[in-house]
Amino acid sequence: MLGNFSYSNPTKIYFGEDSLKFLNEELPKYGKNILLVYGGGSIKTTGLYDEIIKILRDKGKDVFEDAGVMPNPTVEKLYEGCIRAKDNDINLILAVGGGSVCDYAKAVSVSAYCEEDPWEKYYLRMEGVDNKIIPVGCILTMVGTGSEMNGGSVITNYASKQKICRVFGENVFPKFSILNPVFTYTVPQYQMVAGFFDIMSHILEQYFSGEDDNTSDYIMEGLLKSLIHSSTIAIKNPTDYEARSNIMWTATWALNTLVAKGKSTDWMVHMIGQSIGGYTDATHGMTLSVISLPYYRFIMPYGLQKFKRYAINVWDVKPEGKTDEQIAEEGLDQMESYMKELGLVMSAQDLGIKENMLDGIASSSFILEGGYKAISHKEIVKILKDSMHYSQ
Ligand code: NZQ
Ligand code: ZN
């Protein structure tokens, strides 16, 4: 049964090979001062930077740049961006990059006019936004996070070993996002597959919760099947447009709030993964891949029927002559083979985690109770240990 909910999503999407031209339609809606936000330089190497600068200049915009947004953007970078946005009276923040750039743009958009420390107000105390918000538009170059159509904004504070995801309301969602699958062709393989697994994790963490029959679970099974099919093509041929476009669109739907409507969600893999991120600066998708199998094998007995359904509907496991446990385990075994085929990192050790960090990582993991089992600190340490001792 679906619970009660309201649903809307304000982000306008322009999708496809020609989508960049729609920037021309969006720009007249905003004032003259544009803050172009991007990462470590991939957009210069690919030529996208030049194309965008030309469009902005042709539209008579004054362009201010905020470059060097790092994967897992930091609170120090956020403070710097706030000064740049406010000093230049920015009318639109144009984020060109992956989830880190989009997340950072949203953080600057709410923080530039915040009269106190935005880290404390928006990330620690999770207060509502009561100051001016600068509109954000995104041009996505890396697929995974769903940041292009949601209110999520993850900022890391390495001094306090905290990586925190703030989910802002619709007024902070990007006003528009341009999704051209071709822009993602140049993403390095390691980042590409980490992004694929980020998508999978977003879906699974909303799927493995609740036992009712509801539309959201059927949508997620479809998204998972599309992702599994297309990702195995993309690892062999990264320029397969059909595969890359399907993956791009799946990523957006995996985390644009739709599939969580009317049902409970888990999110513990992300909570532990983010905590690892506060300690290691590891690639986000890989922090999820090292935790997922130990976590799901641990909670499987508490949500057995859903794990059985997952095995049959997503992995085509044949149920005849098998117990529910055998079916469910076979589903997770198939997921493990798929993860290895993608080349994901499977052990926490391979992300630089040491035994003496486990207690701290577990302590800084937020514990959410929407899944099949409310896990304890001790159980998180056990899951981390299982990941440390994972053998291929
Ligand atoms: O910085 P550049 O030079 O652009 O290189 C980037 C970066 O090194 C590179 N890249 C991106 N597009 C490229 C490219 N290289 C070549 N060609 C291209 N077309 O890829 C690297 C990783 O980029 P990044 O933006 O960090 O990756 P991702 O999209 O995975 O974003 C990760 C961040 O998003 C947060 C994560 O925690 C992490 O901080 N998340 C945001 C969420 C949200 N907003 O809802 C939810 C997610 O669960 C996630 O937590
Ligand atoms: Zn994620």
Side-chain angles (χ1 to χ4, degrees):
M1 188 189 81
L2 282 170
N4 301 338
F5 60 86
S6 68
Y7 177 70
S8 67
N9 191 313
T11 305
K12 180 156 188 173
I13 298 288
Y14 297 99
F15 192 96
E17 280 173 291
D18 295 334
S19 51
L20 186 59
K21 70 177 184 219
F22 293 101
L23 184 57
N24 288 297
E25 284 184 20
E26 286 295 329
L27 289 175
K29 299 177 189 169
Y30 305 95
K32 211 171 160 51
N33 297 339
I34 310 291
L35 186 65
L36 181 64
V37 174
Y38 55 98
S42 71
I43 67 161
K44 290 204 168 159
T45 325
T46 60
L48 184 57
Y49 172 87
D50 292 336
E51 277 187 76
I52 291 169
I53 288 286
K54 183 172 181 332
I55 295 172
L56 291 169
R57 298 252 189 267
D58 287 352
K59 286 285 167 202
K61 301 294 184 185
D62 287 338
V63 184
F64 301 86
E65 294 194 23
D66 185 357
V69 178
M70 60 293 281
N72 310 319
T74 62
V75 68
E76 291 80 12
K77 179 71 184 161
L78 170 62
Y79 295 146
E80 187 194 307
C82 289
I83 295 168
R84 195 157 304 171
K86 198 173 173 190
D87 284 357
N88 295 301
D89 193 17
I90 292 301
N91 305 115
L92 172 72
I93 303 176
L94 187 59
V96 187
S100 294
V101 173
C102 299
D103 279 16
Y104 169 81
K106 286 180 239 175
V108 172
S109 89
V110 297
S111 302
Y113 291 94
C114 179
E115 282 174 5
E116 49 189 306
D117 182 342
W119 169 255
E120 288 187 12
K121 182 176 168 77
Y122 293 134
Y123 289 83
L124 294 182
R125 299 203 303 274
M126 298 278 175
E127 290 178 15
V129 183
D130 50 13
N131 49 258
K132 177 177 162 182
I133 300 171
I134 306 172
V136 171
C138 297
I139 299 174
L140 200 64
T141 66
M142 143 107 202
V143 161
T145 65
S147 187
E148 65 275 14
M149 203 179 185
N150 71 31
S153 172
V154 183
I155 296 294
T156 302
N157 185 334
Y158 288 112
S160 60
K161 293 190 165 51
Q162 287 169 301
K163 179 174 185 180
I164 297 181
C165 177
R166 172 68 198 265
V167 182
F168 291 106
E170 282 179 35
N171 50 354
V172 185
F173 281 40
K175 300 292 173 217
F176 64 91
S177 282
I178 291 174
L179 273 54
N180 181 343
V182 176
F183 294 164
T184 69
Y185 286 176
T186 51
V187 174
Q189 184 97 356
Y190 184 88
Q191 297 292 342
M192 178 184 80
V193 297
F196 294 170
F197 193 74
D198 192 21
I199 306 168
M200 178 168 237
S201 196
H202 293 158
I203 303 171
L204 293 181
E205 295 186 60
Q206 296 170 94
Y207 181 77
F208 284 125
S209 178
E211 295 288 2
D212 298 332
D213 186 29
N214 67 63
T215 302
S216 296
D217 286 332
Y218 291 100
I219 296 173
M220 286 190 270
E221 286 166 358
L223 291 173
L224 284 166
K225 290 191 88 137
S226 172
L227 173 67
I228 294 161
H229 173 73
S230 295
S231 56
T232 46
I233 295 171
I235 51 166
K236 294 187 195 87
N237 181 9
T239 58
D240 184 309
Y241 185 82
E242 189 173 58
R244 295 308 285 266
S245 58
N246 281 326
I247 295 167
M248 192 170 214
W249 197 216
T250 301
T252 304
W253 283 95
L255 199 57
N256 71 359
T257 78
L258 177 92
V259 298
K261 293 298 169 191
K263 76 182 297 284
S264 52
T265 53
D266 179 321
W267 289 118
M268 274 317 298
V269 171
H270 263 70
M271 292 306 104
I272 303 170
Q274 272 168 214
S275 188
I276 291 174
Y279 275 73
T280 62
D281 194 24
T283 297
H284 172 65
M286 298 307 187
T287 67
L288 310 173
S289 63
V290 301
I291 290 304
S292 288
L293 286 170
Y295 179 73
Y296 290 130
R297 288 195 166 116
F298 179 72
I299 61 157
M300 192 188 79
Y302 303 94
L304 185 61
Q305 290 312 310
K306 195 59 162 289
F307 280 89
K308 178 184 168 190
R309 175 177 163 168
Y310 172 62
I312 295 169
N313 290 359
V314 177
W315 295 103
D316 298 321
V317 171
K318 301 283 170 276
E320 293 78 19
K322 296 170 192 162
T323 64
D324 289 355
E325 284 82 2
Q326 284 170 331
I327 297 165
E329 276 164 15
E330 217 181 292
L332 291 180
D333 290 347
Q334 293 225 29
M335 176 171 156
E336 182 170 358
S337 305
Y338 162 77
M339 292 172 72
K340 287 182 183 164
E341 188 184 343
L342 288 193
L344 296 164
V345 181
M346 304 295 279
S347 165
Q349 240 173 6
D350 295 336
L351 295 180
I353 295 168
K354 307 269 179 284
E355 293 278 346
N356 65 6
M357 296 178 184
L358 303 189
D359 198 59
I361 292 172
S363 297
S364 47
S365 298
F366 289 105
I367 295 185
L368 303 175
E369 303 194 345
Y372 291 121
K373 182 181 191 322
I375 60 172
S376 64
H377 173 95
K378 219 169 121 191
E379 288 162 341
I380 297 178
V381 173
K382 182 198 171 327
I383 287 161
L384 285 162
K385 277 197 174 144
D386 287 351
S387 175
M388 295 289 282
H389 301 134
Y390 177 88
S391 55
Q392 298 284 343

